[in-house]
Every structure is written in structure tokens, then in C-alpha cells.
Amino acid sequence: MEPYIMNRDLIASILPELVAIRRHLHRIAEIGLSEFETTRYIGDVLERWGFVLDRSYATTAIVASLQRRSSTKTVALRADMDALPILEETNLPYQSLNAGTMHACGHDGHVAMLLGAAYALSQDADFSGRVVFIFQPAEENFGGAKMMIEQGFLDHYPVDFLFALHNMPALETGKFSLRRGAMMASIDVVAVTITGRGGHGALPEQTADPVVAAGNIIVALQSIVARNVSPHDPAVITVGQIHGGSAATIIPDKVELEISLRALSPQVHALLRQRIEEVVVAQAQSLGTQASFDWKVGYPATINDDRAVDLARAAIRSTFGDDRLEDRAFAMMASEDCAFFLERIPGAYVFIGNGDSKPLHNAQYDFNDDILADGALFFCSIVEQALAK
């Protein structure tokens, strides 16, 4: 029996359990670095299947591995497992029990797919090498991948290739999509405080108005992408928050902005950071105010390795057929902390179609259980490609 057929049968045999696992994870949704019940549950499942667990990293991460024969070649498979601070509006029977927290990005499904692959591969001796299963926390907020690397994960687990799947609404159910090079954008977030001199709204000449300065800054920031970045280089600057003032008759002392910036190349990323500071400072000073900056944790661009993409394409074609593979024309301008792994390890980040579902990060989103088996089987197939005898 061909290995991928064996894995398909093994995954089919536990598919009802994988659906139940996914829906239980949905019920117990938890924010990054607080996934304590989530990891207890995942750990119980893995230990029941005979895995020995490593809980040494990033507070709540779980790492498990399989070694077959003598090869030292290693493939890592990664799933994120944290939820989002969103009040769920699905009214599903398995709706989140934690009010204000929900799996609105499908990480519950990513975990279930990786668990399915772990089970199938644990029953399949037909590969030579090591498979490392990474159940990673805090993708949405603190950069759990970065934390794991900083805590020595890659020193303890030298990895030749790393692969990850993410569901994608509006992409045909079960279709796979990927590309060489940039797959997703970098992101930085900066909090900007504009400090002026407040006063009576009827006496503006006695003030240095940070509200007017903030308005000018918001408009001027858009000139960076329009006039400093080549039209051939995608980039986005978004002012997502503005806070200031207490009444229509009062000019406040300060206004706070929160700005995100995204790019596909390190050069454009560095340019955006530089120009944002220059534009903000110049606009603030022109109106008699001052600006200060608090840069938050950022993620680099998610860059797929050419060899890893070729392995992923071969795995998809051999297991599912050519019609299930889409060569993605454009990178997505959202961001993903798997990028930290892919800076250090050749790998590929792959989308799998979630079908006609609500968008990611939407209060009515739900993961499509019909793709659980395909995702698990992809992980098995990529192991066979990357660890080919």
C-alpha cells in the first residue's frame, strides 16, 4: 500500500474524533500565552497516542516528535493555537464558552489537522528521519514563534524544513495555494503621542493644538506609500486608532495615534519606519507640537523558500491532483509570526481553502471541518516528500 493511501485511511478512521477535537478547542478558546486549558487538552490527546511531550518553550507551547530509522534529516510541522479577543456571534452548538474570546482565525482547525497528521505518522513507519510537531502559542499577539526561537528551540531541534497551513476563506474548499518568495507581509505597530498645549476651544491662538496636528499627520502619512515607495512594491500604512480630547469646547494637551505598517521586502519595511518618523515629527513641529514614538513588537515578511515550495507542490499534486493546486499570483498583506521560523529555516507557508465562509477575524467566522482530513493528509504527504528515501 502506498504511504499516502495508508495515511489517508488512518486519517479517515479518526476523522470523527478530529471534528470533535476541533469543536472542543473552539469551545475553550484562549488568548496567546494563556492557552493553558487548550494545551492540557492537546497534551492529553498526544499522550494518549503515545507521544512524549516537550513543554519547555513560550509558556504554553507543546512540541512532540517522531524518529524513524537512522536519518538525521528533520521536518517540522507547525500549527498556531491561540484565539482572538472577539465576542463570538455564530450561535453554534460549540460556540466559545469564554465570552469575548473566540477562534475567529481557525487556529482550532489548524491544531486538529496537525493532530491528525501526528496520529497517522505515528502509525506509519515508512519514512526515515525526524518529524517535529509544533503547537505554537501567541501567533496573534506576542510572536510565540519568536519567543520559542529566543528560548533555544532551534538549538535543541535542528530543522531542515518547516511547513505550516492556514485556512483561507473565499478560496475553494480544499484547494491549496502558495507561491515562491513573499507569501505574507511584515508588520510593525507604533503608538505615537502628539503633545501640544491645551486650552479653551474659543481661544485657539493660545494653544498648540494636537488635534489639528494629528489630522495633518494622518493625511500626510498616506503620501509615503504614494510618493516614497515604488508602485511595484506593495506597502500599506494604516492609522487604526486615534484618541484625544474630552469635549467639543476643549483643546486637549495630547492626542494618541496607533499606526500599522506592512511591506513585502526588508528594504521597503525599513523605508516605511524611517519616513513615518520623519513625516510625523515634521508635521507635529510645523504646528508647534511634539511627537514621541513607542514601537511595538513587529513581524517580518513571511518568505517561502523555493525548494520547500517545490516540495509542497509535489506533495499536493501527488496526493490531491493538479486541480487542487493554485499558484498564488500575489502575496497577502496580512502578517504571520511563522515568518520568524522561516527567517531561520527553509520552509513554506501554505493556504488551504475554507470555502464560502465568513472572513478571518470576523465574529461570525467558523472553520470548515470538511478540510480537516485534507490538511492532515497534506502534512503527511509533505513529510514523505521532504524525507524521501
Side-chain angles (χ1 to χ4, degrees), residues 172 175-176 317 320-326:
E172 180 184 334
K175 193 158 193 171
F176 295 87
R317 288 191 174 109
F320 303 100
D322 289 347
D323 62 337
R324 295 280 294 278
L325 174 62
E326 172 190 270

Side-chain angles (χ1 to χ4, degrees), residues 78-245:
R78 173 266 197 184
D80 39 16
M81 60 184 182
D82 56 324
L84 286 156
I86 294 175
L87 181 64
E88 185 164 354
E89 297 176 1
T90 63
N91 296 315
L92 291 164
Y94 48 87
Q95 181 164 306
S96 174
L97 300 175
N98 298 325
T101 304
M102 75 168 288
H103 274 296
C105 204
H107 296 184
D108 48 347
H110 303 165
V111 169
M113 291 189 293
L114 187 54
L115 284 171
Y119 173 79
L121 290 168
S122 72
Q123 307 299 306
D124 176 8
D126 198 32
F127 64 87
S128 181
R130 191 183 197 190
V131 184
V132 178
F133 304 93
I134 305 168
F135 297 88
Q136 183 217 297
E139 187 278 321
E140 299 284 3
N141 51 2
F142 299 112
K146 183 172 187 281
M147 295 174 67
M148 293 182 71
I149 293 167
E150 290 174 345
Q151 293 167 8
F153 171 77
L154 294 179
D155 298 324
H156 191 73
Y157 295 93
V159 172
D160 295 292
F161 288 103
L162 181 143
F163 298 92
L165 274 179
H166 200 296
N167 78 96
M168 184 53 57
L171 180 63
E172 180 184 334
T173 300
K175 193 158 193 171
F176 295 87
S177 177
L178 75 162
R179 70 194 305 269
R180 291 185 174 198
M183 187 72 174
M184 299 181 77
S186 63
I187 183 171
D188 274 330
V189 174
V190 60
V192 176
T193 300
I194 310 301
T195 304
R197 186 173 63 256
H200 200 295
L203 302 168
E205 75 281 4
Q206 297 178 7
T207 72
D209 192 340
V211 175
V212 173
N216 282 15
I217 287 166
I218 291 168
V219 173
L221 285 173
Q222 299 311 312
S223 69
I224 297 173
V225 172
R227 289 295 176 266
N228 300 141
V229 178
S230 167
H232 302 289
D233 291 322
V236 178
I237 296 175
T238 298
V239 181
Q241 292 191 62
I242 177 168
H243 302 282

